[in-house]
Amino acid sequence: MYTDIIAINKNSWEEAAENFYGRNSLPEYGPLAPLEDELNLFGDVAGLNILDFGCGSGHSLKYMDERKAKELWGLDLSKNQIDAARKLLDDSHSKVMLFESPMEENPGLPEGYFDIVYSIFAIGWTTDLAKTVENVYRYLKSGGSFIFSWEHPLYSRVRLKERALIMDQSYHEEGSYDHEAWKIPAMMQQVKVSTYINTLIDQGFHIERIEEDVRLTEKDRERHSNRWYSYDKATMVPTTLIIKCRKP
């Protein structure tokens, strides 16, 4: 079943990749979310080996290169995204290794090798959260960090109507769903906050930080007018869940 969903999502991303070039990349964690400049979850990455899960067009890896990371590794389901990332990172000072692969599979990544694994607004595309987190744990060195962000599980469960939030879907329902804001057939995963936390704990991670604040400026008000990630809705419910944890 999960292989069918991966195939659907791969086809969707091959078609949509160009529309997401450079979007939702560090220092941004997600729409209307705090920036890395404010949170400082990564700290100094100079000389570190970095792996990006769902690297997209490579702009987050470019951000890491500008901060003098030693090695840049990334994987993404889409060939078009990997091609874009490879072109973007062509003049990087860091060593670059990119793989076209789903998160649930290991395309040849070394275990116990990375100082940081991160995923910026991509982990909700996994068909198997436990397997993906297990992979991340294996790839990390002891003491290494896993940092990820995704749409906050509450955000798609409520609607804003005349300054009131109306819950029209159960928060308790988890699993694959066709996101209404995604115009091409694709399946994302609804996961409760507790499921994220417990999955990390079950795999052996120590959780260090959870962020669900919003960042609202007048520029954001104009930028997100009449969009899925609405400024007005974000004043009442978080758009993004951000978690940092560590492999002991």
Side-chain angles (χ1 to χ4, degrees):
M1 175 63 179
Y2 83 91
T3 55
D4 294 337
I5 295 176
I6 289 175
I8 290 170
N9 289 346
K10 179 174 176 58
N11 289 335
S12 183
W13 269 108
E14 298 300 8
E15 185 173 342
E18 186 177 349
N19 297 331
F20 287 87
Y21 186 81
R23 285 175 59 181
N24 292 329
S25 59
L26 289 170
E28 294 183 3
Y29 279 95
L32 299 164
L35 304 176
E36 168 60 10
D37 304 344
E38 304 163 62
L39 298 178
N40 194 33
L41 298 181
F42 285 87
D44 184 7
V45 302
L48 301 185
N49 297 332
I50 307 288
L51 170 60
D52 185 336
F53 256 38
C55 65
S57 54
H59 285 77
S60 290
L61 287 170
K62 187 73 171 177
Y63 176 87
M64 291 295 172
D65 183 58
E66 291 167 353
R67 280 147 188 80
K68 304 187 186 307
K70 180 182 178 182
E71 295 185 12
L72 307 175
W73 296 61
L75 77 163
D76 197 279
L77 186 60
S78 163
K79 179 182 183 301
N80 288 336
Q81 291 280 52
I82 290 295
D83 288 345
R86 185 169 286 113
K87 184 175 181 180
L88 179 74
L89 298 168
D90 184 57
D91 62 348
S92 295
H93 299 290
S94 311
K95 175 184 175 183
V96 178
M97 297 287 289
L98 300 174
F99 297 84
E100 179 189 341
S101 172
M103 304 176 192
E104 301 86 346
E105 300 174 9
N106 184 350
L109 298 170
E111 298 185 2
Y113 187 77
F114 297 97
D115 300 286
I116 297 175
V117 178
Y118 69 86
S119 180
I120 304 302
F121 232 70
I123 200 167
W125 290 96
T126 182
T127 60
D128 188 334
L129 179 64
K131 180 59 178 175
T132 294
V133 172
E134 178 186 355
N135 287 345
V136 171
Y137 193 89
R138 289 179 175 176
Y139 300 148
L140 280 169
K141 297 177 180 177
S142 179
S145 294
F146 178 35
I147 302 167
F148 69 88
S149 66
W150 181 244
E151 180 179 286
H152 197 287
L154 275 175
Y155 192 82
S156 66
R157 291 303 187 243
V158 296
R159 299 287 182 271
L160 178 63
K161 186 175 182 180
E162 298 177 357
R163 296 302 300 168
L165 289 177
I166 301 172
M167 179 168 279
D168 58 1
Q169 297 184 69
S170 172
Y171 177 73
H172 303 295
E173 292 181 6
E174 297 185 292
S176 301
Y177 72 103
D178 189 358
H179 200 302
E180 65 183 80
W182 193 259
K183 304 305 181 184
I184 310 168
M187 303 299 292
M188 300 183 196
Q189 301 296 316
Q190 174 69 13
V191 178
K192 295 185 295 184
V193 173
S194 59
T195 299
Y196 280 119
I197 293 171
N198 289 330
T199 302
L200 292 166
I201 292 171
D202 289 346
Q203 293 299 332
F205 279 106
H206 292 177
I207 296 171
E208 295 189 337
R209 190 82 176 173
I210 299 175
E211 295 283 349
E212 51 183 1
D213 289 336
V214 293
R215 178 179 180 272
L216 303 172
T217 67
E218 285 305 311
K219 183 178 180 181
D220 291 321
R221 183 189 297 273
E222 179 179 347
R223 179 183 176 190
H224 291 275
S225 176
N226 299 319
R227 290 189 175 185
W228 172 256
Y229 296 105
S230 155
Y231 179 100
D232 291 335
K233 186 176 174 181
T235 64
M236 303 179 73
V237 64
T239 62
T240 306
L241 176 68
I242 307 167
I243 298 180
K244 177 180 179 179
C245 53
R246 186 175 299 276
K247 177 179 178 177

